[in-house]
Amino acid sequence: MTEYTTSAEDKFTANVSLRRNDEQHWYELLVDGQLAVQAFFHDLPGHIDFTHTETGRDFEGQGLGKVLAHFALDDVVATGKRIIPHCPFISSYLRKHEGYEQFVDWPEG
């Protein structure tokens, strides 16, 4: 499991932590220990296929999904796997942020 906890330099004042939860097949962002955002995936040979992302109602509109997307995509790249963005949110994030192009296999259709 990959894990990251924000420092005092980050813009969020709450206690935010990020990790890859292999048991549940999702990346998760927790705020003060409460699950706020999940990016679900399938771990395939050579690929991580992102299927969908969910943000808890109490955490919508705070930019937390973007924080989780950045963490999850960086983690996939660090493991040497490629990204398949079936998830509309992850796909949108990839189209707006540079640096991942060479690691993405876009789904057809």
Side-chain angles (χ1 to χ4, degrees):
M1 174 165 43
T2 305
E3 189 166 354
Y4 171 75
T5 303
T6 59
S7 71
E9 298 168 0
D10 291 312
K11 65 181 179 177
F12 298 106
T13 57
N15 179 18
V16 174
S17 61
L18 301 130
R19 66 179 169 221
R20 176 179 163 150
N21 186 326
D22 288 317
E23 187 175 303
Q24 298 295 325
H25 304 284
W26 67 49
Y27 283 89
E28 57 190 37
L29 182 147
L30 296 95
V31 176
D32 292 326
Q34 186 176 359
L35 187 58
V37 187
Q38 301 153 278
F40 295 83
F41 66 86
H42 293 294
D43 193 350
L44 306 171
H47 289 85
I48 295 293
D49 184 354
F50 288 95
T51 58
H52 68 285
T53 300
E54 294 179 6
T55 301
R57 183 171 292 156
D58 294 341
F59 302 100
E60 292 176 351
Q62 299 178 36
L64 297 172
K66 294 176 189 174
V67 173
L68 182 59
H70 180 80
F71 171 78
L73 295 170
D74 282 357
D75 186 65
V76 172
V77 170
T79 65
K81 291 194 171 194
R82 297 186 57 78
I83 301 159
I84 303 174
H86 279 108
C87 167
F89 182 79
I90 296 293
S91 177
S92 175
Y93 184 92
L94 286 166
R95 292 183 194 283
K96 293 176 185 174
H97 295 85
E98 295 182 4
Y100 298 104
E101 299 84 5
Q102 68 271 28
F103 305 106
V104 179
D105 290 329
W106 293 99
E108 294 182 21

